[in-house]
Amino acid sequence: MKNIKYALAAASLAGAAVAGTQAYAFELGVVAFQMSAETQARCANTVGEKAKELGWDAQVLNSNGSLETHASQLDNLIQKGVDAMILCMSKPVQFDGQFQAAKDAGIPVITISSGASPHTLFDVTPNEYVMAAEAAIYTLGSINFEGNILAQKFESNTGARIRGEVLDLVLSENPQVKLVGEHSMARTKSWQDDVRNGMSALILQNAGNFGAVWASFDGQALIIDDLLKEGGMEKGDVALVSIDGGQEVYRRIKDPYSMMTATVAIPFEDMAASAVEMMQKIAVDGVAKEDLVPGPYLFIPATLVDKTNVDEFIVE
Amino acid sequence: MKKLIETYGTALAGLALFVFLAIFANNFLSTANLFNVLKQVSFLSILAFGFTFALITSELDLAFANLCSLSAVVIGFLISSDVAWPVAVAAGIATGLFGGLLNGFLVTVLKVPSLISTLGTASIANGLAFMITGGVAFVGRWDQNFLYLGRGKIGSVPVIILFTLAILAVVLVLSTQTRLGVHLQATGENEEAARRSGIDTRKAKMIGLALSGLGAGVTAMFLVANLSSAAPQMAGDFMLNGIAATLLGMTMFTPAKPNILGTFVGALIIVMLSNGLVLLGAQYYIQDIMLGIIIIVSVAVSASVLKRAAFAL
Amino acid sequence: MPVKISTRNIFKNYGAVEALKGVSVDVHEGEIHAICGDNGAGKSTFIKILAGVEQPDRGEIVVDGKPVHFDSPHASLTAGIATIHQDLAVAPEMTIYQNIFMGAELTRNVLGLRLLDKPAMRRAAVGYMAQLNPSITDMNAKVNELSGGQRQAVAISRALRWNADTVILDEPTAALGVRETEQVLDLVRSLKASGKTVILISHAMQDVAAVADRISILRTGKNQIDLEGGDLTADNLSHYILSGTGDRFH
Ligand SMILES: Nc1ncnc2c1ncn2[C@@H]1O[C@H](COP(=O)(O)OP(=O)(O)OP(=O)(O)O)[C@@H](O)[C@H]1O
Ligand SMILES: [Mg+2]
């Protein structure tokens, strides 16, 4: 039994050594707030890959969705003295102290989809309002701006809430379209069940009485798609529109048995690549930040994906 | 010799880790980094002290992390509703304590095994935290005096480290030098023997679980003050880390028994490891793998108490 | 001698098992009162009720003339009754001195705080153990490192530590060798000499005959026979237990 303790010590040292130090290269710290979310994993991994292409030493960390872990990881990277940091879905107000410390230590920080902070260079983000408007107008267009729709909302996430509010705005300008049922998702670990329960009730209540369904993000849309299929619907019976993008959604847009009609694809890969590219220009080439990005945001355009262009997005 | 390794083996391994990192990890030994490590240890160890007290009485508290999140949310809610921060802090700590007492009531009066009852309260706490916040974090630029608890420094020493050392001293004395401490231990070791010796074992278990809740409340205060925000899953990551620190602690000083000093050193090792791995440039998954190894090995080394607590169904 | 402890018609069921069916015993102050009977007669159950470990379904306990209700072992201990149970109830993972002082730890004042006085407990523990088993001197040893007899010594020391008026011993010599048995009997006598009341349960008739002032024989949950000690022999006692009658010998 006692030997196990040595084994433990040895294992920890070995594990650390495997990941050990190399000759000097530009060191980039990458932290994703919650990598179990697919979008964040795509974002952080792309940053890591792009950085390696530049010959950088990129270290990717995952905060498991914990504020305290995120703060600790930022502190640890600052202490390590990395040359730069790129953060995915961080939170400027909560980590104000860490961002300030990074700035004081002369470490440039670019955030992705995090929000602006006076201590970072800028935030790379799609324009949530523009995306939301595209999805809302596409949804209404799918029923020729006349008839009934259902909506699956999510109030407790800023982005998703903006999307819902923009939908409401578009609806208020189009009184011929009625929102006959809406469900707001609870933010719990079993949010999937919540969507399933709430939506299946709405679908039953309004059977045959709606032409389109709008969902605040693709994860919800996939569940709703399954419900509609279970309800015996076929492609073309109703339009299903959402926002985010991802391989599974693209596959369904192509799938002749799926209701999935369109999504607005957030180009996480493009955002990640831009973040690395900008960091290269600023931190390595010495270009002034103001010459590249004048304000606190670098907006990356999002693309509406439906059956006409989905093939461009599917990765085989 | 054998006894020596049994008693100090893990602590020596921790020392070896320290020396290894001092040599191979750049900046590990810088004053700023050492304080950084100690600050991170602070949150983890205060929380784990509570769990340790519950485990000393042979009860598992699987609710402490969620109770901590709930307490944090209560503090955040009250402060952002313009309640004076000392009042908010008192209410947050009381929330943790109340949760612990509720666990104690379920275990000692309703006789629901702690493994089940604390799982239940964990879920309730999680639900309440989401109810209060609606899932959104309370964020703000709050009273500097309050934030000082988490962010303040005296010279270059974060004040939270001083608080933690004071708390360590108090709980160390409480657990090893007072009648209450031995009563908790006797209750955990052999409840019937303790009862027949005139110890109120129900009260002891109640106190063990209540201290666990109290630890959650106090940690919440520091967490909120440090991050100037409160979110419903604020302390989620502490569940596994806290248990790991306590289990690792059970492999030293008083082998196979949960003990405060062991928990502190356990927390120190875990935080050093995660800090060291970042400094060494390790990718994120290495850390999770290491934590898993630590838990499994510690349980293998000191399984008996855990089994008694977990399987007394 | 006045009656120290008196029980009236104690009943106790464990589910369908009727362990006690009306036990009435008077224990006189300053005497050694033995309780005998076959396995399963209900001796330990009776003791557990006096010790507050179990509560009677019916019946009355009177201590020093006052009716009492022992709802916990603590209540019995504070009423001046210390018990060594048949299963000893020690904490094997704790040290000898911790077991002896369990629930009644010694403290001292350090800067206004009441902290454990470990050296004093260790010293006192050596004293208690020496009366029973002088060979054990390391009070920091864990009880699970001790032999059955040594553990018994720890359990007895713990009862002595309470400094109670009445000491109950449930088969204290069961695991003991000849010398250790003699030491326990000496201890029982010295308890009596210091004015304490002793209740002794034993299957060893020669021990009972040697020390008991009064004997109650339990049979299937009732006290069948109450005898005065003195001129009884072990053989006499065995006969009473076997025959179950109070007839004097022919
Ligand atoms: N906790 C219990 N649950 C159920 N039955 C019990 C329990 N304790 C004792 N009994 C039963 O009560 C009866 C009396 O048991 P008790 O232990 O009092 O006998 P005893 O006279 O002490 O026997 P021994 O000489 O073997 O120690 C027995 O039939 C026993 O099986
Ligand atoms: Mg018995």
Side-chain angles (χ1 to χ4, degrees):
Chain A
M1 267 311 174
K2 280 71 238 169
N3 295 336
I4 291 175
K5 286 181 192 162
Y6 291 131
L8 166 67
S12 34
L13 299 188
V18 165
T21 43
Q22 310 167 355
Y24 182 79
F26 187 87
E27 275 184 338
L28 178 70
V30 185
V31 190
F33 187 67
Q34 173 63 285
M35 268 182 102
S36 63
E38 188 207 320
T39 50
Q40 299 197 31
R42 275 165 59 197
C43 184
N45 288 332
T46 309
V47 171
E49 284 157 22
K50 293 286 172 195
K52 286 212 177 88
E53 284 170 17
L54 290 173
W56 293 0
D57 193 354
Q59 180 176 14
V60 180
L61 299 177
N62 171 16
S63 309
N64 287 321
S66 155
L67 292 174
E68 180 48 35
T69 305
H70 198 67
S72 300
Q73 286 170 337
L74 296 182
D75 281 332
N76 289 345
L77 286 172
I78 294 166
Q79 292 308 324
K80 184 188 180 190
V82 290
D83 297 308
M85 294 200 281
I86 294 180
L87 312 177
C88 302
M89 289 75 172
S90 187
K91 296 170 195 302
V93 181
Q94 281 91 326
F95 307 114
D96 189 62
Q98 279 74 21
F99 289 2
Q100 168 102 54
K103 190 182 192 182
D104 293 346
I107 301 171
V109 178
I110 294 178
T111 55
I112 296 176
S113 273
S114 306
S117 158
H119 310 306
T120 60
L121 292 175
F122 52 83
D123 187 47
V124 183
T125 179
N127 190 326
E128 198 69 69
Y129 295 89
V130 175
M131 289 192 307
E134 285 200 49
I137 293 165
Y138 190 99
T139 309
L140 270 61
S142 70
I143 54 170
N144 290 318
F145 294 89
E146 195 170 354
N148 297 332
I149 67 167
L150 299 180
Q152 174 64 60
K153 293 191 173 172
F154 181 32
E155 309 290 347
S156 344
N157 171 285
T158 321
R161 193 171 53 243
I162 290 172
R163 296 170 188 180
E165 283 167 7
V166 171
L167 173 71
D168 291 341
L169 180 70
V170 170
L171 282 170
S172 72
E173 288 299 322
N174 292 278
Q176 299 91 322
V177 179
K178 271 237 261 318
L179 184 60
V180 288
E182 76 174 297
H183 174 246
S184 193
M185 182 184 100
R187 180 163 170 165
T188 58
K189 280 182 196 140
S190 53
W191 61 268
Q192 285 97 338
D193 287 335
D194 190 49
V195 170
R196 179 164 269 279
N197 296 337
M199 251 309 158
S200 59
L202 286 182
I203 290 171
L204 278 176
Q205 276 166 24
N206 298 288
N209 190 29
F210 58 94
V213 184
W214 177 96
S216 70
F217 64 92
D218 283 345
Q220 295 176 330
L222 296 180
I223 294 167
I224 296 168
D225 186 31
D226 293 339
L227 286 173
L228 294 171
K229 267 186 272 184
E230 284 163 26
M233 295 204 193
E234 285 169 26
K235 201 156 198 117
D237 288 354
V238 290
L240 178 56
V241 181
S242 178
I243 300 169
D244 271 352
Q247 288 304 312
E248 176 61 15
V249 182
Y250 304 150
R251 195 189 62 70
R252 293 205 192 190
I253 290 174
K254 247 193 124 166
D255 180 353
Y257 299 103
S258 162
M259 255 42 67
M260 198 71 220
T261 315
T263 187
V264 181
I266 305 177
F268 286 104
E269 282 79 6
D270 294 352
M271 288 154 62
S274 304
V276 176
E277 193 185 318
M278 293 292 165
M279 189 60 90
Q280 155 92 0
K281 287 187 180 148
I282 294 167
V284 180
D285 302 341
V287 180
K289 177 248 167 192
E290 284 70 22
D291 295 342
L292 297 168
V293 183
Y297 288 103
L298 173 62
F299 288 116
I300 303 289
T303 324
L304 193 130
V305 179
D306 67 1
K307 62 177 187 295
T308 60
N309 63 347
V310 68
D311 287 332
E312 297 164 29
F313 288 83
I314 290 185
V315 185
E316 294 300 336
Chain B
M1 182 62 201
K2 182 180 159 222
K3 191 151 184 168
L4 223 62
I5 293 176
E6 221 171 350
T7 316
Y8 299 108
T10 314
L12 287 176
L15 199 62
L17 177 67
F18 180 85
V19 171
F20 174 89
L21 291 174
I23 297 171
F24 293 104
N26 272 338
N27 298 338
F28 179 74
L29 274 190
S30 74
T31 333
N33 189 55
L34 292 179
F35 283 136
N36 171 38
V37 165
L38 283 176
K39 183 172 174 180
Q40 292 171 20
V41 167
S42 297
F43 305 110
L44 180 57
S45 60
I46 298 173
L47 198 53
F49 290 156
F51 180 75
T52 305
F53 273 114
L55 200 58
I56 285 175
T57 68
S58 261
E59 297 298 342
L60 273 182
D61 181 2
L62 299 181
F64 69 91
N66 283 7
L67 275 178
C68 181
S69 296
L70 177 61
S71 300
V73 161
V74 167
I75 295 173
F77 171 71
L78 292 176
I79 291 186
S80 52
S81 315
D82 289 328
V83 173
W85 71 264
V87 178
V89 163
I93 294 177
T95 303
L97 183 61
F98 177 78
L101 286 170
L102 177 66
N103 283 332
F105 173 79
L106 295 174
V107 169
T108 60
V109 180
L110 300 188
K111 309 273 182 224
V112 184
S114 55
L115 182 69
I116 307 294
S117 55
T118 59
L119 221 53
T121 42
S123 177
I124 294 172
N126 188 46
L128 288 175
F130 275 104
M131 189 180 92
I132 295 172
T133 57
V136 194
F138 293 109
V139 188
R141 304 194 188 279
W142 292 330
D143 191 328
Q144 286 302 321
N145 292 324
F146 169 61
L147 300 185
Y148 184 80
L149 291 173
R151 297 180 174 179
K153 284 182 180 172
I154 296 178
S156 56
V157 187
V159 284
I160 184 174
I161 297 178
L162 305 177
F163 279 117
T164 305
L165 292 177
I167 290 172
L168 171 67
V170 170
V171 293
L172 204 55
V173 168
L174 176 69
S175 71
T176 62
Q177 304 297 331
T178 67
R179 294 190 66 195
L180 177 61
V182 255
H183 290 185
L184 297 183
Q185 193 198 341
T187 301
E189 288 292 344
N190 186 336
E191 189 178 353
E192 191 55 24
R195 193 172 82 92
R196 291 193 193 173
S197 307
I199 293 172
D200 189 339
T201 54
R202 292 213 297 195
K203 192 171 116 197
K205 293 200 169 222
M206 195 84 161
I207 290 173
L209 286 162
L211 285 175
S212 191
L214 183 63
V218 172
T219 309
M221 166 183 83
F222 287 121
L223 280 176
V224 175
N226 185 41
L227 295 173
S228 186
S229 68
Q233 278 290 321
M234 185 120 183
D237 245 22
F238 282 117
M239 173 87 178
L240 215 52
N241 284 307
I243 293 177
T246 306
L247 296 185
L248 199 56
M250 285 170 63
T251 63
M252 47 189 140
F253 307 128
T254 53
K257 290 182 194 178
N259 67 91
I260 292 295
L261 199 57
T263 298
F264 185 71
V265 176
L268 208 54
I269 291 177
I270 286 170
V271 171
M272 265 199 316
L273 201 61
S274 71
N275 173 262
L277 286 172
V278 171
L279 296 189
L280 288 171
Q283 303 295 340
Y284 61 95
Y285 38 83
I286 304 272
Q287 204 158 317
D288 285 347
I289 295 173
M290 300 293 264
L291 194 62
I293 295 175
I294 288 179
I295 290 181
I296 295 169
V297 172
S298 327
V299 175
V301 173
S302 55
S304 61
V305 176
L306 260 208
K307 282 187 187 146
R308 198 157 63 220
F311 302 111
L313 287 175
Chain C
M1 281 286 167
V3 175
K4 178 78 185 166
I5 301 175
S6 171
T7 68
R8 293 280 152 259
N9 264 316
I10 304 281
F11 282 78
K12 175 74 185 174
N13 287 6
Y14 290 111
V17 180
E18 297 179 301
L20 298 180
K21 298 183 281 194
V23 176
S24 305
V25 172
D26 285 335
V27 178
H28 293 255
E29 189 168 338
E31 288 190 355
I32 300 173
H33 193 126
I35 295 179
C36 303
D38 291 330
N39 292 125
K43 305 181 294 295
S44 293
T45 305
F46 180 61
I47 288 325
K48 282 181 188 157
I49 284 170
L50 290 182
V53 172
E54 301 278 1
Q55 282 68 49
D57 297 337
R58 256 188 302 142
E60 200 187 11
I61 305 173
V62 178
V63 176
D64 293 327
K66 286 182 222 92
V68 291
H69 293 281
F70 295 153
D71 53 6
S72 71
H74 188 251
S76 169
L77 284 164
T78 49
I81 302 173
T83 306
I84 300 124
H85 293 276
Q86 189 170 5
D87 60 9
L88 303 182
V90 286
E93 278 292 323
M94 295 175 77
T95 65
I96 294 177
Y97 88 84
Q98 283 178 321
N99 267 281
I100 292 176
F101 284 91
M102 189 181 286
E105 298 79 4
L106 300 179
T107 57
R108 63 188 160 150
N109 237 332
V110 180
L111 307 170
L113 298 174
R114 227 152 52 85
L115 301 185
L116 295 176
D117 193 346
K118 294 179 186 181
M121 285 193 273
R122 267 182 289 240
R123 254 180 281 120
V126 173
Y128 289 118
M129 289 295 283
Q131 299 178 47
L132 299 150
N133 202 326
S135 66
I136 306 171
T137 52
D138 178 10
M139 295 300 121
N140 285 324
K142 283 186 187 168
V143 166
N144 65 5
E145 294 160 7
L146 303 181
S147 73
Q150 291 168 332
R151 285 179 200 206
Q152 220 146 17
V154 172
I156 294 173
S157 298
R158 182 169 61 200
L160 295 180
R161 148 72 190 129
W162 279 97
N163 209 4
D165 306 338
T166 306
V167 179
I168 303 178
L169 304 96
D170 191 350
E171 301 197 23
T173 58
L176 301 187
V178 181
R179 173 173 309 152
E180 289 80 6
T181 300
E182 205 40 55
Q183 266 161 342
V184 169
L185 294 180
D186 280 346
L187 179 83
V188 167
R189 288 190 195 96
S190 73
L191 285 173
K192 176 183 167 172
S194 61
K196 295 186 192 293
T197 309
V198 178
I199 300 176
L200 174 71
I201 288 111
S202 181
H203 287 290
M205 291 311 142
Q206 65 278 18
D207 297 351
V208 173
V211 297
D213 298 309
R214 211 175 288 273
I215 300 140
S216 297
I217 295 177
L218 294 197
R219 203 178 166 89
T220 61
K222 289 184 194 146
N223 52 323
Q224 203 85 356
I225 313 165
D226 296 291
L227 304 163
E228 302 237 354
D231 55 345
L232 286 168
T233 65
D235 283 347
N236 299 158
L237 278 168
S238 303
H239 172 82
Y240 284 123
I241 292 171
L242 289 171
S243 69
T245 65
D247 301 338
R248 273 276 170 175
F249 279 89
H250 335 288

